[in-house]
Structures are given as structure tokens and as C-alpha cells.
Amino acid sequence: MHNDITVPYIVRYGSEEQKQKYLPRCTTGELITAIAMTEPGAGSDLQGTNTTAVLDGDHYILNGSKTFITNGQKAGLVIVVAKTDTTAGSKGISLFLVEADLPGFSKGKNLTKLGLKAQDTSELFFQDVKVPKENLLGEEGRGFIYLMQDLPQERLSIAVGAVANARAILEATVAYTKERKAFGTTVASFQNTQFKLAELSAEIDCAEVYTDRCTELLLEDNLDTVTASKAKLLTTDLQCKVADECLQLHGGWGYMWEYPVCRAFADSRIQRIYGGTNEIMKLIISRELMK
Ligand SMILES: Cc1cc2nc3c(=O)[nH]c(=O)nc-3n(C[C@H](O)[C@H](O)[C@H](O)COP(=O)(O)OP(=O)(O)OC[C@H]3O[C@@H](n4cnc5c(N)ncnc54)[C@H](O)[C@@H]3O)c2cc1C
């Protein structure tokens, strides 16, 4: 989140002063960042954002609340998505660099999740927070465009993680089935086991090639939203399928938390939801097809 998603916003859209002020501490890890888009009433539909930032002299007055924010507890600096013009639709959305110690900014509890136990996820509240004018990130009214420009990198980052996780689960399962005995032989010796693992291995290889191609496109600055959405959709669906099939091959032990496949099963589920749900990925891809 910090390295691949939030800090790049400051690198791309930050002023020289903002970069000097924040990036050195972001690099050392003294300052952890988060990005706050989602609200209790607006997730997939970003334009439904209700958080507002109203210019008042040298400050914007920020009001609203966010939820499900990764690094919410640890973050010392949060990129907040807010409406600077509630009548302008997506053109009324702006981004702000909000320091966590500003009066009126409070954090809810660390939310209890199905998986990703090591990652903190929180609600954030803003009540008349005075955000200095110079903490506007980029230009006013261009927040939605910045988000659309940076989401492909976020989605690719999720895809890379999905492929890596899928491969790790597969490898752990190959090892487990070679050890585990049933009916006087190993679970790996059953044709069902071999065929399942072979199918998953082939699918992971194909997903990896597509993801590598997307990485090349990103490095050439040519990764478009549709291509990145396909990567996110394909790889995260696959990760969940791999986790499910591999858990099955572990039998009851696969349902036990001490086994990596059990934790991988819990951790993989969110991949189809955050970074834009996989239904939203299909929406983006189908819009392009129907053009
Ligand atoms: C662990 C975790 C970490 C997260 N980290 C962050 C973070 O750091 N920053 C942040 O801003 N957000 C974060 N999120 C929020 C995440 O991005 C949202 O949960 C996600 O975008 C979905 O929004 P929602 O939960 O409001 O679901 P909703 O938008 O209410 O969607 C509910 C269901 O309706 C479907 N749906 C919605 N619209 C359509 C449509 N047009 N067509 C078809 N189906 C549709 C969705 O696909 C979904 O299945 C995180 C969430 C979690 C759980």
C-alpha cells in the first residue's frame, strides 16, 4: 500500500514542497501513508463520495468519514478523497494530504477481518479538520482523473500478489500431497490430485505471463485501465480458485489455521473485493467491448 500505491501519488502529483516535506520520511518508514477513498455509503461508486472540503481562507475545512482504510491505524499521512464541488460530479473531486495529528481527525478501531490479520484496516473521521491550502494534492477538481490514472498500477500490484500467492499455495500443496498418506499410498499418487494440480499450474503460468506483460506496459507508461482490470480480474479469481482447490487437497488439515493453505484461503478472498471489485473490473472491460 505504502510503496506501490500511496507514495507514488505524491511522486506524480505532489508539489516540490510536498515532496521535500514528506518523501524522505516516507522512504525511511518514519511516515506511513494511506489512501482514503471508500466511505460507509460509497465504495464502488466513488462519485458518491460525501466527504467535503470547503475552502475557507488559507485552509480547506474537511468533513466526512471513511472506512476500510488500509494502514488506517499506522498512517501519519492520509491521501483523502473529498468533494470540493458537490455539484460538479467527478470534476468536483480533489485529493488532500491530511496529517493524522490535525485537530478534528480521529481514527476508529482496527477492524476485525476474515484474513490479512497483519494489516490494519480502519475507519477515519474528519470533523471540521483545517487542512492547509498547500496540502491540496495536484489541482483542485482533478482528483478523479488522478485516481483513474493510478488505479491501473494498484490493480497490477494486486495481480502480481495474486500470481505469487497462487504459486506459493500450489507449491505447498504439491509438497503436502507427496507426504500425506491415504489408502496405503500418497495423496499425490491419485490421478485426481495430479490433474487438479496440473490444471492449476497451467493457469498460473498463463496468468503470470499476462501479468509480466502488464508490468512491461507499466514500465513503458502504457498500462491502460482495461488491460490492468483484466489482470486484476483474471489473477484474483485464479488465486481464490487455487486456494479453494488446494485446501480441498489438504482435507481437514486444510481447514486448520496452523496450515498455510488455511490462512491463504482466508487472505485470498479480499483480492476480489478491494482495488475495485471484480464486478467493477467486468464493467470496465465490457464498456470497452460495447463501445
Ligand atoms: C481489507 C480491505 C482493505 C481495503 N483498503 C482500502 C483502502 O486502503 N482505501 C480505500 O479507499 N478502500 C479500501 N477498501 C475498500 C474497498 O476498495 C471497497 O470495499 C470496494 O471498492 C467495494 O466497495 P464496497 O465495500 O462499498 O462495496 P459496494 O460498492 O457496496 O458493492 C457491493 C456489491 O455490489 C457490487 N456492485 C457495485 N456496483 C456494481 C455495478 N455497477 N455492477 C455490478 N455490481 C456492482 C460489488 O461488486 C459488490 O459485489 C478496502 C476494503 C477491505 C475489505
Side-chain angles (χ1 to χ4, degrees):
M1 173 58 70
H2 179 74
N3 289 342
D4 285 348
I5 298 167
T6 47
V7 170
Y9 276 92
I10 305 174
V11 174
R12 283 198 195 111
Y13 309 115
S15 64
E16 206 39 51
E17 291 71 29
Q18 289 169 344
K19 289 180 191 174
Q20 294 293 337
K21 186 171 180 191
Y22 298 119
L23 288 182
R25 284 183 294 140
C26 288
T27 312
T28 58
E30 286 163 88
L31 184 64
I32 299 292
T33 53
I35 184 157
M37 299 179 249
T38 307
E39 299 185 357
S44 302
D45 181 14
L46 262 182
Q47 294 191 39
T49 297
N50 276 319
T51 299
T52 53
V54 178
L55 190 57
D56 181 20
D58 289 346
H59 292 83
Y60 284 91
I61 307 296
L62 189 67
N63 276 292
S65 65
K66 300 285 177 181
T67 195
F68 304 150
I69 306 309
T70 303
N71 289 350
Q73 295 290 313
K74 289 195 190 87
L77 183 70
V78 182
I79 299 173
V80 177
V81 177
K83 278 199 172 150
T84 37
D85 183 347
T86 51
T87 61
S90 63
K91 290 188 181 132
I93 292 178
S94 305
L95 306 184
F96 293 90
L97 292 166
V98 181
E99 295 180 15
D101 56 5
L102 285 180
F105 181 173
S106 58
K107 297 176 172 185
K109 63 179 167 51
N110 191 8
L111 299 168
T112 308
K113 308 191 290 292
L114 169 69
L116 298 188
K117 307 281 190 194
Q119 176 223 57
D120 60 301
T121 308
S122 312
E123 289 175 291
L124 304 177
F125 305 98
F126 310 100
Q127 197 178 357
D128 294 328
V129 181
K130 282 175 87 178
V131 181
K133 214 171 150 186
E134 56 270 21
N135 278 33
L136 173 72
L137 184 62
E139 290 173 39
E140 191 179 298
R142 290 183 63 82
F144 195 75
I145 295 171
Y146 300 150
L147 292 169
M148 291 306 114
Q149 281 168 352
D150 279 45
L151 278 169
Q153 176 162 333
E154 174 173 353
R155 287 171 185 157
L156 176 59
S157 173
I158 292 171
V160 170
V163 173
N165 277 293
R167 195 173 288 291
I169 302 164
L170 181 80
E171 284 169 5
T173 307
V174 170
Y176 178 83
T177 57
K178 282 182 179 168
E179 294 288 322
R180 178 72 181 169
K181 301 269 188 330
F183 295 96
T185 182
T186 62
V187 170
S189 69
F190 302 133
Q191 194 182 51
N192 176 65
T193 305
Q194 294 171 8
F195 280 14
K196 280 274 182 246
L197 294 172
E199 279 168 22
L200 298 176
S201 171
E203 289 181 60
I204 293 168
D205 281 356
C206 290
E208 187 169 320
V209 171
Y210 187 80
T211 307
D212 283 350
R213 176 68 191 129
C214 289
T215 307
E216 285 173 351
L217 289 171
L218 180 83
L219 294 175
E220 293 161 7
D221 222 6
N222 279 327
L223 181 66
D224 62 79
T225 304
V226 174
T227 309
S229 300
K230 287 179 183 174
K232 200 256 172 186
L233 171 66
L234 184 93
T235 57
T236 58
D237 274 356
L238 178 61
Q239 182 187 352
C240 288
K241 178 179 165 182
V242 172
D244 186 51
E245 298 279 18
C246 288
L247 189 151
Q248 188 70 17
L249 290 173
H250 280 69
W253 295 108
Y255 201 67
M256 297 298 128
W257 199 249
E258 69 197 84
Y259 274 81
V261 75
C262 178
R263 299 195 295 273
F265 181 82
D267 288 346
S268 58
R269 191 60 186 84
I270 185 57
Q271 293 268 78
R272 287 158 56 198
I273 298 171
Y274 60 17
T277 67
N278 282 9
E279 290 72 34
I280 296 300
M281 298 306 102
K282 289 179 201 177
L283 204 71
I284 293 168
I285 298 161
S286 57
R287 262 193 210 137
E288 174 79 4
L289 291 173
M290 302 303 158
K291 253 206 311 219

